């Protein structure tokens, strides 16, 4: 801690600056964020880092002689600092799990293996007023690291690094392609905070650099996730049209080395009737159901997006057109299973058309228009075969390309 009035006040003002930035992030999350687990975890992290900053400032004022000191308050302030920091690390681990959307939910046993050691570490640090293992306070109100200080904090930071490395590994996998940017940032976040922790140790705590590092990293995460909201459809969670077209623009320029780029257009059959007969809430439910089927069953090398209204799109690179055909029939089959399983007053089905870049469609408009034409052919066949009825529950007609 700083040992004179000027350095103490500088220390506190740096924490105040961090609190202002954290308050801006918190208001932004509340005002513009969506209400889901991801946003909740981010809000909790902001609160925990804020608590750390507040009590770190109080301890700085106490150890600097600015406010009246007593040993009980000193241990309480430092205990809160450590617990809030470890708590933020735990929440960061949970936050990282929200991006693993294709994995099964984390099991209680696995969660215990992950977080019980962190709880033990927190308890050990908080009880340092008894055993002085992690730290202790001298009679003149000076903070001294204990014999096992680095062991006690090493466990939480080791878990922090584990989350970091795991995020980097997952960012390289195709099935997490749409989350690659945020996963790379999640890799960098612990590196930034751990780097600032080492810096604070080297500076002997003359500046609140851990809180500063955590605030900077949280700001980067907030800005990136805010950017992500621009690229993600808020209703379905799929990529939106602008994100799809940006990716398509890049893929059209790539040399695919023997593979072909396919673009698929899809829309929900009789979606207007669903909205008119059962209401827009039910229509939204239908959109989310179809989006879930597409997202769950699309191959890892395909990007699925909501194109607009009741239309969806997908693009992927493959050396076998049969993979595209199989995907179409798989989607139809999964929706038929859903219709049989769920007790709804209507059946969900979709029409699909697709086109291939290598067939001579080298621009975005050409490729989309070609897929659209195929989509219209499929819908026309359905009208002929099923008479344009409200329910298209039979197997889809053969694809024409």
């Amino acid at each position: 801690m700083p040992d004179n009035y000027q350095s103490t006040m500088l220390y506190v003002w740096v924490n105040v600056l961090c609190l202002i930035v954290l308050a801006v992030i918190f208001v932004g999350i509340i005002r513009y964020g969506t209400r889901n687990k991801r946003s909740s975890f981010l809000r909790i992290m902001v609160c925990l880092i804020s608590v750390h900053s507040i009590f770190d400032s109080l301890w700085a004022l106490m150890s600097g002689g600015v406010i009246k000191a007593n040993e009980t308050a000193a241990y309480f302030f430092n205990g809160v600092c450590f617990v809030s920091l470890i708590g933020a690390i735990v929440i960061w681990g949970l936050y990282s799990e929200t991006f693993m959307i294709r994995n099964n939910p984390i099991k209680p046993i696995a969660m215990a293996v992950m977080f019980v050691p962190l709880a033990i570490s927190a308890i050990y640090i908080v009880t340092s007023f008894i055993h002085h293992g992690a730290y202790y306070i001298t009679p003149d109100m000076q903070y001294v690291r204990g014999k096992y200080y680095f062991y006690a904090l090493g466990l939480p930071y080791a878990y922090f690094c584990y989350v970091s490395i795991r995020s980097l590994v997952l960012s390289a996998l195709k099935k997490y392609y749409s989350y690659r940017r945020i996963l790379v940032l999640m890799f960098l976040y612990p590196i930034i905070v751990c780097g600032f922790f080492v810096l604070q140790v080297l500076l002997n705590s003359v500046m609140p650099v851990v809180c500063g590092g955590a605030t900077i990293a949280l700001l980067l995460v907030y800005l990136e996730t805010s950017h992500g909201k621009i690229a993600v459809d808020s209703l379905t969670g799929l990529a939106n049209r602008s994100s799809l077209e940006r990716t398509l623009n890049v893929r059209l320029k790539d040399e695919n080395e023997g593979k072909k780029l396919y673009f698929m257009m899809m829309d929900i059959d009789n979606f207007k009737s669903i909205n008119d007969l059962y209401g827009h809430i039910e229509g939204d439910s239908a959109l989310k159901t179809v989006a879930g089927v597409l997202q769950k069953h699309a191959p890892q090398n395909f990007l699925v997006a909501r194109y607009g209204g009741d239309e969806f799109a997908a693009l992927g690179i493959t050396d076998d057109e049969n993979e595209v055909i199989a995907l179409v029939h798989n989607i139809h089959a999964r929706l038929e299973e859903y219709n049989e399983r769920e007790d709804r007053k209507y059946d969900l089905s979709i029409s699909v058309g697709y086109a291939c870049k290598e067939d001579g469609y080298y621009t975005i408009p050409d490729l989309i228009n070609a897929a659209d034409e195929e989509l219209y052919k499929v819908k026309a066949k359905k009208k002929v075969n099923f008479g344009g009825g409200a329910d298209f529950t039979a197997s889809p007609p053969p694809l024409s390309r």
Side-chain angles (χ1 to χ4, degrees), residues 10-71:
L10 177 61
Y11 189 99
V12 171
W13 277 112
V14 171
N15 267 327
V16 170
L17 180 61
C18 290
L19 284 169
I20 293 172
V21 175
L22 291 167
V24 171
I25 295 173
F26 187 83
V27 171
I29 297 170
I30 293 293
R31 188 170 182 179
Y32 302 110
T34 54
R35 294 186 177 182
N36 53 32
K37 285 185 179 180
R38 199 171 294 166
S39 293
S40 297
F41 288 143
L42 201 56
R43 289 198 300 270
I44 294 170
M45 275 192 291
V46 170
C47 290
L48 288 171
I49 298 300
S50 299
V51 169
H52 174 84
S53 183
I54 291 169
F55 280 87
D56 189 38
S57 297
L58 291 173
W59 166 239
L61 292 171
M62 180 178 288
S63 63
V66 179
I67 61 176
K68 186 177 180 180
N70 68 79
E71 188 175 341

Coordinates of all heavy atoms in Angstrom, one line a residue, residues 10-71:
L10 N -3.5 9.3 -4.7 CA -3.4 8.9 -6.1 C -3.9 7.5 -6.3 O -4.6 7.1 -7.3 CB -1.9 9.0 -6.6 CG -1.6 8.5 -8.0 CD1 -2.4 9.3 -9.0 CD2 -0.1 8.5 -8.3
Y11 N -3.6 6.6 -5.4 CA -4.0 5.2 -5.4 C -5.6 5.2 -5.4 O -6.2 4.4 -6.1 CB -3.5 4.5 -4.1 CG -3.7 3.0 -4.1 CD1 -2.7 2.1 -4.5 CD2 -4.9 2.4 -3.6 CE1 -2.9 0.7 -4.4 CE2 -5.1 1.1 -3.6 CZ -4.1 0.2 -4.0 OH -4.3 -1.1 -3.9
V12 N -6.2 6.0 -4.5 CA -7.6 6.0 -4.4 C -8.3 6.6 -5.6 O -9.3 6.0 -6.1 CB -8.0 6.8 -3.2 CG1 -9.6 7.1 -3.2 CG2 -7.6 6.1 -1.9
W13 N -7.7 7.6 -6.2 CA -8.2 8.2 -7.4 C -8.2 7.3 -8.6 O -9.1 7.3 -9.5 CB -7.6 9.6 -7.7 CG -8.1 10.7 -6.9 CD1 -7.5 11.4 -5.9 CD2 -9.5 11.2 -7.0 NE1 -8.4 12.3 -5.4 CE2 -9.6 12.3 -6.1 CE3 -10.5 10.9 -7.8 CZ2 -10.7 13.0 -5.9 CZ3 -11.7 11.7 -7.7 CH2 -11.8 12.7 -6.7
V14 N -7.2 6.5 -8.7 CA -7.1 5.5 -9.7 C -8.3 4.5 -9.6 O -8.9 4.1 -10.6 CB -5.8 4.7 -9.8 CG1 -5.8 3.5 -10.7 CG2 -4.6 5.7 -10.1
N15 N -8.5 4.1 -8.3 CA -9.7 3.2 -8.1 C -11.0 3.9 -8.4 O -11.9 3.2 -8.9 CB -9.7 2.7 -6.6 CG -9.0 1.4 -6.4 OD1 -9.0 0.6 -7.3 ND2 -8.3 1.3 -5.2
V16 N -11.1 5.2 -8.1 CA -12.3 5.9 -8.4 C -12.5 5.9 -10.0 O -13.7 5.8 -10.4 CB -12.2 7.3 -7.9 CG1 -13.4 8.2 -8.4 CG2 -12.3 7.3 -6.4
L17 N -11.4 6.1 -10.7 CA -11.5 6.1 -12.2 C -12.0 4.8 -12.7 O -12.9 4.7 -13.5 CB -10.2 6.5 -12.8 CG -10.1 6.5 -14.3 CD1 -11.0 7.6 -14.9 CD2 -8.7 6.8 -14.8
C18 N -11.5 3.7 -12.1 CA -12.0 2.4 -12.4 C -13.5 2.2 -12.1 O -14.2 1.6 -12.9 CB -11.2 1.3 -11.6 SG -9.5 1.1 -12.1
L19 N -13.9 2.7 -11.0 CA -15.3 2.6 -10.6 C -16.2 3.4 -11.6 O -17.3 2.9 -11.9 CB -15.5 3.2 -9.2 CG -15.1 2.3 -8.0 CD1 -15.1 3.0 -6.7 CD2 -15.9 1.0 -7.9
I20 N -15.7 4.5 -12.1 CA -16.5 5.3 -13.1 C -16.7 4.4 -14.3 O -17.8 4.3 -14.9 CB -15.9 6.6 -13.4 CG1 -15.9 7.5 -12.1 CG2 -16.5 7.3 -14.5 CD1 -15.1 8.8 -12.2
V21 N -15.6 3.8 -14.8 CA -15.6 3.0 -16.0 C -16.6 1.8 -15.8 O -17.4 1.5 -16.6 CB -14.2 2.6 -16.4 CG1 -14.3 1.6 -17.6 CG2 -13.3 3.8 -16.8
L22 N -16.4 1.2 -14.6 CA -17.3 0.0 -14.3 C -18.7 0.4 -14.3 O -19.6 -0.4 -14.7 CB -16.8 -0.6 -13.0 CG -15.5 -1.3 -13.0 CD1 -15.0 -1.6 -11.6 CD2 -15.5 -2.6 -13.8
A23 N -19.0 1.6 -13.7 CA -20.4 2.1 -13.6 C -21.0 2.3 -15.1 O -22.2 2.0 -15.3 CB -20.5 3.4 -12.8
V24 N -20.2 2.8 -15.9 CA -20.6 3.0 -17.3 C -20.9 1.7 -18.0 O -21.9 1.5 -18.7 CB -19.5 3.8 -18.1 CG1 -19.9 3.8 -19.6 CG2 -19.4 5.2 -17.6
I25 N -20.0 0.7 -17.8 CA -20.2 -0.6 -18.3 C -21.5 -1.2 -17.8 O -22.4 -1.8 -18.5 CB -19.1 -1.6 -18.0 CG1 -17.8 -1.1 -18.7 CG2 -19.4 -3.0 -18.4 CD1 -16.5 -1.8 -18.3
F26 N -21.8 -1.1 -16.4 CA -22.9 -1.7 -15.8 C -24.2 -1.1 -16.4 O -25.2 -1.8 -16.7 CB -22.9 -1.4 -14.3 CG -24.0 -2.1 -13.5 CD1 -23.8 -3.5 -13.2 CD2 -25.1 -1.4 -13.1 CE1 -24.8 -4.1 -12.5 CE2 -26.1 -2.1 -12.5 CZ -26.0 -3.4 -12.1
V27 N -24.2 0.3 -16.5 CA -25.4 0.9 -17.0 C -25.7 0.5 -18.5 O -26.8 0.3 -18.9 CB -25.2 2.5 -17.0 CG1 -26.4 3.2 -17.8 CG2 -25.2 2.9 -15.5
G28 N -24.6 0.4 -19.3 CA -24.7 -0.1 -20.6 C -25.3 -1.5 -20.7 O -26.1 -1.8 -21.6
I29 N -24.9 -2.4 -19.8 CA -25.4 -3.8 -19.8 C -26.9 -3.7 -19.5 O -27.7 -4.4 -20.1 CB -24.6 -4.6 -18.8 CG1 -23.2 -4.8 -19.3 CG2 -25.3 -6.0 -18.8 CD1 -22.3 -5.4 -18.2
I30 N -27.3 -3.0 -18.5 CA -28.6 -2.9 -18.0 C -29.5 -2.3 -19.1 O -30.6 -2.7 -19.4 CB -28.8 -2.1 -16.7 CG1 -28.1 -2.8 -15.6 CG2 -30.2 -1.8 -16.4 CD1 -28.8 -4.1 -15.1
R31 N -29.0 -1.2 -19.7 CA -29.9 -0.4 -20.6 C -30.0 -1.0 -22.0 O -31.0 -1.0 -22.6 CB -29.3 1.0 -20.8 CG -30.2 1.9 -21.5 CD -29.7 3.4 -21.4 NE -30.6 4.3 -22.1 CZ -30.4 5.6 -22.2 NH1 -29.3 6.1 -21.5 NH2 -31.2 6.4 -22.8
Y32 N -28.9 -1.6 -22.5 CA -28.8 -2.1 -23.9 C -28.7 -3.6 -24.0 O -28.9 -4.1 -25.1 CB -27.7 -1.4 -24.6 CG -27.8 0.1 -24.6 CD1 -26.9 0.9 -23.9 CD2 -28.8 0.8 -25.4 CE1 -27.0 2.3 -23.9 CE2 -28.9 2.1 -25.4 CZ -28.0 2.9 -24.6 OH -28.1 4.2 -24.6
G33 N -28.4 -4.3 -22.9 CA -28.1 -5.7 -23.0 C -29.4 -6.5 -23.0 O -30.5 -6.0 -22.6
T34 N -29.3 -7.7 -23.4 CA -30.4 -8.6 -23.3 C -30.4 -9.4 -22.0 O -29.4 -9.5 -21.4 CB -30.4 -9.7 -24.5 OG1 -29.1 -10.3 -24.4 CG2 -30.5 -9.0 -25.8
R35 N -31.6 -9.8 -21.5 CA -31.7 -10.5 -20.3 C -31.5 -12.0 -20.4 O -32.4 -12.7 -20.8 CB -33.1 -10.2 -19.6 CG -33.3 -8.7 -19.3 CD -34.6 -8.5 -18.5 NE -34.8 -7.2 -18.1 CZ -35.8 -6.7 -17.4 NH1 -36.7 -7.6 -17.0 NH2 -35.9 -5.4 -17.0
N36 N -30.2 -12.4 -20.2 CA -29.9 -13.8 -20.3 C -28.8 -14.1 -19.3 O -28.3 -13.2 -18.6 CB -29.5 -14.2 -21.7 CG -28.4 -13.3 -22.3 OD1 -27.6 -12.8 -21.6 ND2 -28.4 -13.1 -23.6
K37 N -28.4 -15.3 -19.2 CA -27.3 -15.7 -18.3 C -26.0 -15.0 -18.5 O -25.3 -14.5 -17.6 CB -27.1 -17.2 -18.3 CG -28.2 -18.0 -17.7 CD -27.8 -19.5 -17.7 CE -28.8 -20.4 -17.0 NZ -28.5 -21.8 -17.0
R38 N -25.7 -14.8 -19.8 CA -24.5 -14.2 -20.2 C -24.4 -12.7 -19.6 O -23.4 -12.3 -19.0 CB -24.3 -14.2 -21.7 CG -22.9 -14.0 -22.2 CD -22.9 -14.2 -23.7 NE -23.2 -15.6 -24.0 CZ -23.5 -16.1 -25.2 NH1 -23.6 -15.3 -26.2 NH2 -23.7 -17.4 -25.4
S39 N -25.5 -12.0 -19.9 CA -25.5 -10.6 -19.4 C -25.5 -10.6 -17.8 O -24.9 -9.7 -17.2 CB -26.8 -9.9 -19.9 OG -26.7 -9.7 -21.3
S40 N -26.2 -11.5 -17.2 CA -26.2 -11.6 -15.7 C -24.8 -11.8 -15.2 O -24.4 -11.2 -14.2 CB -27.2 -12.7 -15.3 OG -28.5 -12.4 -15.7
F41 N -24.1 -12.7 -15.8 CA -22.8 -13.0 -15.3 C -21.9 -11.8 -15.5 O -21.0 -11.5 -14.6 CB -22.2 -14.2 -16.0 CG -22.8 -15.5 -15.6 CD1 -23.0 -16.5 -16.5 CD2 -23.1 -15.8 -14.3 CE1 -23.5 -17.8 -16.1 CE2 -23.7 -17.0 -13.9 CZ -23.9 -18.0 -14.8
L42 N -22.0 -11.1 -16.6 CA -21.2 -9.9 -16.8 C -21.5 -8.8 -15.8 O -20.6 -8.1 -15.3 CB -21.5 -9.4 -18.3 CG -20.4 -8.5 -18.9 CD1 -19.0 -9.2 -18.9 CD2 -20.7 -8.1 -20.3
R43 N -22.8 -8.7 -15.5 CA -23.2 -7.7 -14.5 C -22.6 -8.0 -13.1 O -22.1 -7.2 -12.4 CB -24.7 -7.6 -14.3 CG -25.4 -6.9 -15.5 CD -26.8 -6.5 -15.2 NE -27.6 -7.6 -14.7 CZ -28.4 -8.4 -15.6 NH1 -28.4 -8.1 -16.9 NH2 -29.1 -9.4 -15.1
I44 N -22.7 -9.3 -12.8 CA -22.1 -9.8 -11.5 C -20.6 -9.5 -11.4 O -20.1 -9.1 -10.4 CB -22.4 -11.2 -11.2 CG1 -23.9 -11.4 -11.1 CG2 -21.7 -11.7 -10.0 CD1 -24.4 -12.9 -11.0
M45 N -19.9 -9.8 -12.5 CA -18.5 -9.5 -12.5 C -18.2 -8.0 -12.3 O -17.2 -7.7 -11.6 CB -17.9 -10.0 -13.9 CG -17.5 -11.5 -13.9 SD -16.5 -11.9 -15.3 CE -17.7 -11.7 -16.6
V46 N -18.9 -7.2 -13.0 CA -18.7 -5.7 -12.8 C -18.9 -5.4 -11.3 O -18.2 -4.6 -10.8 CB -19.7 -4.9 -13.7 CG1 -19.7 -3.5 -13.4 CG2 -19.3 -5.1 -15.2
C47 N -20.0 -5.9 -10.7 CA -20.3 -5.6 -9.3 C -19.1 -6.1 -8.4 O -18.7 -5.4 -7.5 CB -21.6 -6.3 -8.9 SG -23.0 -5.5 -9.6
L48 N -18.6 -7.3 -8.7 CA -17.6 -7.8 -7.8 C -16.3 -7.1 -7.9 O -15.6 -6.8 -6.9 CB -17.3 -9.3 -8.2 CG -18.4 -10.3 -7.7 CD1 -18.2 -11.7 -8.3 CD2 -18.5 -10.4 -6.2
I49 N -15.9 -6.7 -9.2 CA -14.7 -5.8 -9.3 C -14.9 -4.5 -8.7 O -14.0 -3.9 -8.1 CB -14.4 -5.7 -10.8 CG1 -14.1 -7.1 -11.4 CG2 -13.2 -4.8 -11.0 CD1 -12.9 -7.8 -10.8
S50 N -16.1 -4.0 -8.8 CA -16.4 -2.7 -8.1 C -16.3 -2.8 -6.6 O -15.7 -1.9 -5.9 CB -17.8 -2.2 -8.4 OG -18.0 -2.0 -9.8
V51 N -16.8 -3.9 -6.0 CA -16.6 -4.1 -4.6 C -15.2 -4.2 -4.2 O -14.7 -3.6 -3.2 CB -17.4 -5.4 -4.2 CG1 -17.0 -5.8 -2.7 CG2 -18.9 -5.2 -4.3
H52 N -14.4 -4.9 -5.0 CA -12.9 -5.0 -4.8 C -12.3 -3.6 -4.8 O -11.5 -3.3 -3.9 CB -12.3 -5.9 -5.9 CG -10.8 -5.9 -5.8 ND1 -10.1 -6.8 -5.0 CD2 -9.9 -5.2 -6.4 CE1 -8.8 -6.6 -5.1 NE2 -8.6 -5.7 -6.0
S53 N -12.7 -2.8 -5.7 CA -12.1 -1.5 -5.9 C -12.5 -0.6 -4.7 O -11.6 0.1 -4.1 CB -12.6 -0.8 -7.2 OG -12.0 0.4 -7.4
I54 N -13.7 -0.7 -4.2 CA -14.2 0.2 -3.1 C -13.4 -0.2 -1.8 O -12.9 0.7 -1.1 CB -15.7 0.0 -2.9 CG1 -16.4 0.6 -4.0 CG2 -16.1 0.6 -1.6 CD1 -17.9 0.3 -4.1
F55 N -13.3 -1.5 -1.5 CA -12.7 -1.9 -0.3 C -11.2 -1.8 -0.4 O -10.5 -1.6 0.7 CB -13.1 -3.3 0.1 CG -14.5 -3.4 0.8 CD1 -15.6 -3.5 0.0 CD2 -14.6 -3.3 2.1 CE1 -16.9 -3.5 0.6 CE2 -15.8 -3.3 2.7 CZ -17.0 -3.4 2.0
D56 N -10.6 -1.9 -1.6 CA -9.2 -1.7 -1.7 C -8.9 -0.2 -1.4 O -7.9 0.1 -0.8 CB -8.8 -2.0 -3.2 CG -7.3 -2.0 -3.4 OD1 -6.6 -2.4 -2.5 OD2 -6.9 -1.6 -4.5
S57 N -9.8 0.7 -1.9 CA -9.6 2.1 -1.6 C -9.7 2.4 -0.1 O -8.9 3.2 0.5 CB -10.6 2.9 -2.3 OG -10.4 2.8 -3.7
L58 N -10.7 1.8 0.6 CA -10.8 2.0 2.0 C -9.6 1.5 2.8 O -9.1 2.2 3.7 CB -12.1 1.2 2.5 CG -13.4 1.8 2.1 CD1 -14.6 0.8 2.5 CD2 -13.6 3.2 2.6
W59 N -9.0 0.3 2.3 CA -7.8 -0.2 3.0 C -6.7 0.8 2.7 O -5.8 1.0 3.6 CB -7.5 -1.6 2.5 CG -6.1 -2.0 2.9 CD1 -5.2 -2.4 2.0 CD2 -5.6 -2.1 4.2 NE1 -4.0 -2.7 2.7 CE2 -4.2 -2.6 4.1 CE3 -6.0 -1.8 5.5 CZ2 -3.4 -2.7 5.1 CZ3 -5.2 -2.0 6.6 CH2 -3.9 -2.5 6.4
A60 N -6.6 1.3 1.5 CA -5.5 2.3 1.2 C -5.6 3.5 2.1 O -4.6 4.0 2.6 CB -5.6 2.7 -0.2
L61 N -6.8 4.0 2.3 CA -7.0 5.2 3.2 C -6.7 4.9 4.6 O -6.1 5.7 5.4 CB -8.5 5.7 3.1 CG -8.9 6.3 1.7 CD1 -10.4 6.5 1.7 CD2 -8.1 7.6 1.5
M62 N -7.0 3.6 5.0 CA -6.7 3.2 6.4 C -5.2 3.1 6.6 O -4.6 3.6 7.6 CB -7.4 1.9 6.8 CG -7.1 1.4 8.2 SD -8.1 -0.1 8.5 CE -9.7 0.6 8.7
S63 N -4.5 2.3 5.7 CA -3.1 2.1 5.9 C -2.3 3.3 5.7 O -1.2 3.5 6.2 CB -2.6 1.0 4.9 OG -2.8 1.4 3.5
G64 N -2.8 4.3 4.9 CA -2.2 5.6 4.7 C -2.4 6.6 5.8 O -1.9 7.7 5.7
G65 N -3.2 6.2 6.8 CA -3.5 7.1 7.9 C -4.5 8.2 7.6 O -4.7 9.1 8.5
V66 N -5.2 8.1 6.5 CA -6.2 9.1 6.2 C -7.5 8.9 7.0 O -8.1 9.9 7.4 CB -6.5 9.1 4.7 CG1 -7.6 10.1 4.3 CG2 -5.3 9.3 3.9
I67 N -7.8 7.7 7.3 CA -9.0 7.4 8.1 C -8.5 6.5 9.3 O -7.4 5.9 9.3 CB -10.1 6.6 7.4 CG1 -9.6 5.3 6.9 CG2 -10.6 7.5 6.3 CD1 -10.7 4.5 6.2
K68 N -9.3 6.6 10.4 CA -8.8 5.9 11.6 C -8.7 4.4 11.4 O -9.6 3.8 10.8 CB -9.9 6.2 12.7 CG -9.4 5.6 14.1 CD -10.5 6.0 15.1 CE -10.0 5.4 16.5 NZ -11.0 5.8 17.6
A69 N -7.6 3.8 11.9 CA -7.4 2.4 11.6 C -7.7 1.5 12.8 O -7.5 2.0 14.0 CB -5.9 2.2 11.2
N70 N -8.1 0.3 12.6 CA -8.2 -0.7 13.6 C -8.0 -2.1 12.9 O -8.4 -2.3 11.8 CB -9.5 -0.6 14.4 CG -10.7 -1.0 13.6 OD1 -11.0 -2.2 13.4 ND2 -11.4 0.0 13.1
E71 N -7.5 -3.0 13.7 CA -7.1 -4.3 13.1 C -8.3 -5.1 12.5 O -8.2 -5.7 11.5 CB -6.4 -5.1 14.2 CG -5.8 -6.4 13.6 CD -4.9 -7.2 14.7 OE1 -4.6 -6.5 15.7 OE2 -4.7 -8.3 14.5

